[in-house]
Amino acid sequence: MTLFTDPNALQIVRMIRAPREGVYAAWTDASVALQWWGDQGCETEELNLDAWRGGTFRWVFKAADGTKNLVRGKYHSVQPPIKIVHTWQWVDAPGWKEAWSLVTIEFSEKDDGRATEIRLTHDKLPDEKTRDSHMKDWNSSLDRLERLFTDVV
């Protein structure tokens, strides 16, 4: 159990019925990530993932309401297939002008390698409303990721 001192942090634990290497690749290979990245109803226009320490990512998408959004970040740690840590910033979004949050994704082998536990932590979010919105959207994205592997099996 993780104890947070940041009241605007969130953590989600999810089990994916697939080997860890494949689940990890779904976070680092843009051709795979395009199939699940983003909450239900969003349409990705561009997704660049340079998943190496010091690399960057850039995600341009239309939300379900039609608004265009840009999220960017920098990879601080990439440990295949165990862990990814990167910053997260909404460009031109209210409350994000000087704000950078931090996303940590940990991948643990389960069920003799047939499943992967994902522990996603997103902290340093600007406020409670943003935290709650990200909780909903991350869960929606992880639902899509889970379906990606369920449809393959």
Side-chain angles (χ1 to χ4, degrees):
M1 181 173 166
T2 303
L3 297 175
F4 292 109
T5 56
D6 178 358
N8 297 322
L10 67 85
Q11 187 171 81
I12 302 167
V13 177
R14 185 71 68 97
M15 188 71 68
I16 305 291
R17 287 265 162 230
R20 180 169 63 175
E21 288 75 13
V23 176
Y24 179 88
W27 288 82
T28 58
D29 181 335
S31 67
V32 179
L34 279 168
Q35 299 175 54
W36 69 270
W37 200 292
D39 64 324
Q40 191 65 39
C42 88
E43 179 183 327
T44 296
E45 294 182 356
E46 176 187 338
L47 181 59
N48 298 313
L49 304 174
D50 295 321
W52 50 273
R53 188 173 190 265
T56 61
F57 78 88
R58 176 183 166 89
W59 177 35
V60 180
F61 69 97
K62 280 188 187 171
D65 66 4
T67 58
K68 192 170 182 173
N69 298 280
L70 168 60
V71 176
R72 65 181 175 186
K74 183 175 182 178
Y75 291 95
H76 287 258
S77 177
V78 178
Q79 301 170 33
I82 299 165
K83 186 177 186 178
I84 300 168
V85 180
H86 62 75
T87 58
W88 179 275
Q89 184 189 41
W90 290 85
V91 178
D92 297 328
W96 284 87
K97 185 173 182 174
E98 300 298 325
W100 289 87
S101 59
L102 192 67
V103 177
T104 302
I105 309 105
E106 298 170 285
F107 306 86
S108 300
E109 269 190 349
K110 300 293 180 186
D111 196 17
D112 294 322
R114 293 186 300 265
T116 304
E117 180 185 88
I118 295 174
R119 181 175 305 272
L120 184 147
T121 306
H122 195 158
D123 56 9
K124 300 184 181 176
L125 290 159
D127 54 48
E128 184 178 335
K129 180 180 177 185
T130 303
R131 180 202 63 209
D132 293 348
S133 173
H134 279 75
M135 177 68 86
K136 178 182 85 51
D137 292 344
W138 277 120
N139 272 303
S140 180
S141 292
L142 292 172
D143 289 346
R144 294 178 70 194
L145 175 63
E146 193 170 355
R147 281 194 301 276
L148 176 69
F149 285 100
T150 302
D151 292 344
V152 170
V153 175

